[in-house]
Amino acid sequence: MTMRVISTAIPDVKLIEPACFGDERGFFFESYNERAFAALVNGGQSVRFVQDNHSRSARNVLRGLHYQISQAQGKLVRVVAGEVFDVAVDIRRSSPTFGQWVGALLSAENRVQMWVPAGFAHGFLTLSESAEFLYKTTDYWAREYERCIAWDDPSIAVEWPIEVAPVLSEKDRHGSLLLDAEVYP
């Protein structure tokens, strides 16, 4: 088996642990396998990824909660250096888990990935000195559709593991409250 899938409190969001094979020379694992992903994560349906992104962030940088109101992106995310706290928020108004969030520690050491389907806002907080974050997306980035929900929206109440003010971009400082945000039907 190439991966182990872990359910979260929001059924559509999954954590994925790849099988890792290592010895004194190093290690090997499949970070993505289309057949296994479709069978184990996505209910037998294949997913088409169109873009790979790579970001690097310093400690206490918080990115998010981002989404695109059109050209919604599913994201398969992982960390290749350092550690982050990764969050997905359900912003599908018709969903029974609308406004709820799940979070997980993703690190180069644990190799855990998170599947964040389209219809979710996504963000992460860098916990290590720095972190390199990779993510595959199911649609292309489009500035005109990009939206941001406030990382500290009290109606969502994400429990970010941070004791100091996070480092935010201008866009993230001005995120909307979920109550006022454009969301999915």
Side-chain angles (χ1 to χ4, degrees):
M1 179 182 250
T2 59
M3 67 177 74
R4 180 171 81 98
V5 177
I6 303 162
S7 296
T8 68
I10 299 177
D12 294 334
V13 178
K14 307 284 189 204
L15 297 177
I16 303 162
E17 285 184 345
C20 186
F21 306 96
D23 59 26
E24 68 279 352
R25 300 168 297 149
F27 68 85
F28 170 84
F29 68 91
E30 285 185 344
S31 61
Y32 177 73
N33 178 303
E34 182 179 22
R35 285 185 302 235
F37 187 87
L40 299 173
V41 178
N42 207 40
Q45 298 207 349
S46 190
V47 171
R48 178 176 173 250
F49 291 107
V50 299
Q51 185 173 319
D52 279 1
N53 301 309
H54 186 148
S55 72
R56 183 175 192 277
S57 300
R59 183 185 303 277
N60 297 325
V61 167
L62 194 152
R63 298 182 186 268
L65 300 161
H66 300 155
Y67 65 102
Q68 291 186 174
I69 195 63
S70 292
Q71 291 180 221
Q73 296 176 310
K75 297 176 181 176
L76 180 60
V77 303
R78 68 188 181 112
V79 172
V80 295
E83 180 179 49
V84 307
F85 182 68
D86 197 64
V87 171
V89 179
D90 189 346
I91 58 170
R92 303 168 298 173
R93 194 170 302 283
S94 60
S95 170
T97 57
F98 176 72
Q100 294 179 29
W101 66 276
V102 293
L105 290 176
L106 309 183
S107 70
E109 186 176 311
N110 73 16
R111 299 180 189 92
V112 172
Q113 300 176 65
M114 184 184 283
W115 167 239
V116 181
F120 285 74
H122 173 259
F124 67 91
L125 170 68
T126 305
L127 302 175
S128 50
E129 196 61 36
S130 67
E132 293 196 30
F133 191 83
L134 302 180
Y135 56 108
K136 304 171 97 44
T137 64
T138 60
D139 210 331
Y140 297 100
W141 177 74
R143 181 185 309 271
E144 65 271 26
Y145 301 131
E146 188 175 49
R147 302 292 185 271
C148 180
I149 293 174
W151 67 276
D152 59 350
D153 183 329
S155 72
I156 300 170
V158 173
E159 295 174 15
W160 298 101
I162 190 166
E163 296 177 11
V164 298
V167 179
L168 303 169
S169 70
E170 189 66 25
K171 172 180 68 178
D172 293 342
R173 275 195 283 279
H174 300 290
S176 300
L177 295 177
L178 180 61
L179 178 66
D180 302 324
E182 290 179 84
V183 295
Y184 305 105

